[in-house]
């Protein structure tokens, strides 16, 4: 068993280390093993005690379970890890995937929508997924009821990727078992959480960021206002991806979310041709994309007492952008990042959306 | 009876004088009477014989009929003539109107759509018209079946303007008689054609330009691709007005036209509030608009033989923009316009959309 992989599992399964902290640590220390070794000192300098770290045994048990399930890990910055997903600042450091890994080489587009969608909308989603599959795209969705299920079914023959909120061996909702098993064989299923994890409410937005992040664009079919599908659309927009929506009558409450998205600038799509036209500019961006993300040690940015004092003084309970801390402190960016990493590992920092931080 | 009005009627009812030629003549000669007197000479210089001009008796008979119908004329550049409509290069020189002229002081928005619209869409149009009326807008439409009728009905209590393609005393379709009569009493009905004119196919696009031209914006509700409603939307866009469309399911063929409009940049609207938000920028433009259009003699631009030869040489059967003729001929703009007016009245010129002209 691969020591680097085990070290990565230990890091990311540690309760206080999230994807952003993980990425900071890898960027600083080059390897997960070096990061693990550095954590106690970092936490001490941050003024706290070392965070609990997942044990080697826990990591090994997880890796063995993944292997036994016939799944494998995809590590950020390595091999098959989806290139577009790696662009997200909070990209999952590790994914667990089972199925046809060849689908990761395809350009992907997400189809998401309401769990309680109308029969007509489900039929539409199935047809659209089928047509996009015929165009050579992998169709991504969240293996939920309704639109998600229809999208997977429509593209099962051509290639579909399902992102689950819980462990890869958990079927949620239960009636998806047959579909998910079919996708183990003929599609691809991806999970961020370790095997056996029952999905909880907080896991769904994490799942949604993967759906949006892995795809050139996200198509919303029938979504209520304030629904999870709209969160996925927002995450896609934040990641600079295409947001597309299928319109509906103003008299149909289930069309409100999509119509609102279109009013806010999403592209109205009715056919696979509309979708292809919409993602073409993204497409060329991907063709010319740089090599996959590789963590590499930055110029050493060790923090001295002066940097620590200065950054801590500027921090408070209100989230502030890291850029602003650098500017206001007058300290080198590397030193500020290091102070933040120390505070983070000492359990004294909260990281927020948009690269903002606050003292806990 | 007003001599100026009779002269205007004679001019515009002359078969070879359209709205653009009318406007050119008024601009040149200041009054319709002076234009009538100048026409024979102009035509001779253009190398043809004088066009047939409607007789004084014909004009008088029409004016008497209009008066007897309880209608009145609105002349471009004068009094109550709708200010936004006057901005169109091919604005009708004369309108015949019957009803509540106070509605011409209101800001107006058009609601148009399919004659064979679904019951749901008609109900929607009626509700939207009602809500826009409550906001103080006059609701404009074309007194056709379907969406038009629903829009008029929804705004009958607050104020609605119907533009008919034929004469003001013609009820087309016949089942509209009751509605049109109600609008004589409580709304306003406007016609470009003289009383007694049965509407023909070519009249409908003329009618549509008035609907688009009189309104701050045009809302399309359920329209088939290539329908008249989309022509109205295009005319509104060309006039710099807001184009709005109500979306529908891609599975509904009657939603195709509106969805396509939205893809092409029309604003998706679902409620009166959406419409109000969309027309607000136009609204302020209207508030600050200059005084109504007044025809006034330009600096004399008589054409000499040199200008005539030069412009005629540049003209051919393919339409060319007038601007280009001015540039290529090296002649003053006024002289080129005069040559074109001469050729026009001599029956040798065709005027096309977008200010282009060709030799007949």
């Amino acid at each position: 068993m691969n020591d680097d992989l085990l070290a990565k599992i230990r890091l990311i399964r540690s309760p206080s280390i999230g994807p952003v902290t993980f990425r900071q640590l890898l960027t600083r220390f080059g390897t997960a093993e070096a990061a693990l070794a550095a954590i106690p000192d970092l936490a001490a300098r941050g003024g706290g005690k070392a965070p609990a770290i997942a044990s080697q045994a826990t990591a090994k048990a997880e890796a063995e379970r993944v292997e036994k399930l016939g799944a494998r890990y995809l590590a950020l910055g390595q091999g098959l890890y989806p290139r577009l997903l790696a662009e997200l600042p909070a990209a999952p450091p590790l994914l667990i995937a089972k199925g046809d890994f060849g689908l990761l080489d395809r350009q992907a587009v997400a189809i998401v929508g309401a769990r309680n969608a109308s029969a007509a909308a489900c039929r539409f989603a199935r047809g659209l997924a089928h047509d996009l599959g015929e165009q050579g795209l992998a169709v991504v969705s969240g293996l939920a009821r309704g639109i998600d299920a229809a999208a997977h079914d429509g593209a099962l023959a051509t290639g579909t990727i399902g992102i689950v909120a819980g462990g890869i061996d958990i079927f949620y909702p239960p009636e998806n078992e047959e579909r998910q098993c079919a996708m183990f064989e003929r599609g691809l299923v991806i999970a961020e959480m370790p095997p056996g994890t029952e999905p909880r409410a907080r896991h769904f937005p994490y799942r949604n960021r993967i759906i949006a992040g892995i795809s050139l664009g996200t198509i919303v079919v029938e979504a209520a206002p304030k629904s999870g599908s709209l969160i996925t659309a927002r995450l896609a927009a934040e990641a600079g991806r295409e947001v597309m929506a299928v319109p509906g009558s103003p008299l149909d409450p289930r069309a409100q979310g999509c119509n609102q998205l279109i009013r806010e600038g999403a592209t109205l799509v009715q056919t696979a041709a509309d979708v292809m036209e919409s993602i073409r500019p993204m497409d060329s961006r991907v063709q010319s994309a740089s090599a996959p993300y590789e963590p590499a040690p930055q110029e050493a940015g060790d923090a001295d007492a002066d940097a620590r004092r200065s950054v801590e003084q500027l921090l408070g309970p209100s989230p502030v952008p890291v850029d602003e801390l650098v500017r206001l402190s007058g300290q080198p960016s590397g030193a500020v990042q290091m102070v933040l990493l120390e505070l983070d590992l000492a359990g004294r920092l909260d990281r927020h959306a948009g690269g903002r931080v606050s003292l806990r």
Side-chain angles (χ1 to χ4, degrees), chain A:
Chain A
M1 198 151 292
N2 180 328
D3 284 341
D4 178 50
L5 175 62
L6 289 177
K8 283 178 171 164
I9 298 172
R10 288 186 64 196
L11 261 189
I12 196 59
R13 301 306 176 215
S14 300
S16 63
I17 297 180
V20 174
T21 308
F22 183 103
R23 197 164 187 154
Q24 293 275 346
L25 284 166
L26 268 275
T27 304
R28 284 297 162 157
F29 299 100
T31 68
E33 284 182 280
L36 284 169
I39 284 174
D41 271 2
L42 290 170
R45 284 205 293 270
K49 58 186 181 100
I53 297 292
S55 71
Q56 179 80 4
T58 303
K60 207 165 169 188
E62 178 185 316
E64 283 168 358
R65 190 161 174 188
V66 165
E67 192 172 351
K68 205 162 153 199
L69 287 166
R72 42 183 287 200
Y73 288 94
L74 303 172
L76 177 62
Q78 293 184 337
L80 291 172
Y81 191 93
R83 180 181 292 207
L84 282 176
L85 184 60
E87 289 183 0
L88 302 192
L94 286 178
L95 296 171
I96 296 164
K98 180 174 180 182
D100 174 5
F101 290 86
L103 290 178
L104 294 171
D105 268 347
R106 300 238 203 118
Q107 298 192 332
V109 68
I111 299 180
V112 300
R115 289 189 297 276
N116 63 348
S118 67
C122 289
R123 197 170 63 243
F124 178 85
R126 193 157 51 238
L128 182 63
H130 171 270
D131 295 348
L132 290 170
E134 295 285 320
Q135 296 288 322
L137 291 172
V139 173
V140 178
S141 197
L143 267 161
R145 288 192 186 89
I147 297 295
D148 286 22
H152 290 306
D153 291 352
L156 188 58
T158 50
T160 184
I161 301 175
I163 319 292
V164 294
I168 198 153
D169 53 343
I170 302 298
F171 304 109
Y172 179 84
E175 68 260 35
N176 255 342
E177 177 164 355
E178 198 183 333
R179 181 172 290 110
Q180 192 163 329
C181 289
M183 288 169 64
F184 287 152
E185 298 300 320
R186 305 168 60 191
L188 184 68
V189 182
I190 294 178
E192 181 177 11
M193 299 298 142
T197 310
E198 292 287 343
R200 295 172 187 282
R202 65 187 158 87
H203 292 144
F204 290 93
Y206 300 162
R207 187 267 313 259
N208 294 344
R209 91 185 191 288
I210 303 178
I211 293 175
I214 209 172
S215 306
L216 286 166
T218 293
I219 304 158
V220 186
V221 184
E222 261 193 14
K226 301 185 184 169
S227 61
S229 306
L230 297 193
I231 293 175
T232 308
R234 183 172 55 71
L235 294 168
E238 284 174 8
R241 313 300 165 78
E242 275 297 320
V243 180
M244 294 159 275
V246 178
S249 162
L251 299 169
D252 182 352
R254 286 174 293 203
Q256 296 303 303
C258 285
N259 288 350
Q260 190 56 37
L261 272 182
I262 295 167
R263 277 181 59 75
E264 289 165 8
T267 302
L268 184 158
V269 294
Q270 300 193 90
T271 62
D274 290 348
V275 174
M276 298 309 289
E277 185 188 322
S278 177
I279 63 176
R280 201 172 301 133
M282 281 294 303
D283 188 1
S284 58
R285 186 187 122 197
V286 172
Q287 299 293 358
S288 65
S290 51
Y293 163 83
E294 271 297 348
Q298 286 190 348
E299 26 88 47
D302 270 2
D304 56 19
D306 193 36
R308 260 177 220 112
R309 198 168 41 242
S310 157
V311 172
E312 282 198 49
Q313 267 178 355
L314 289 166
L315 279 169
S318 301
V320 286
V322 174
D323 293 354
E324 200 169 311
L325 287 177
V326 172
R327 193 168 53 75
L328 291 173
S329 68
Q331 298 288 333
S333 166
V336 173
Q337 294 283 10
M338 183 54 92
V339 174
L340 294 176
L341 191 53
E342 290 167 1
L343 291 169
D344 185 351
L345 291 165
R348 297 178 57 206
L349 194 81
D350 280 321
R351 294 192 186 269
H352 307 268
R356 292 169 312 140
V357 291
S358 66
L359 270 193
R360 188 172 289 177

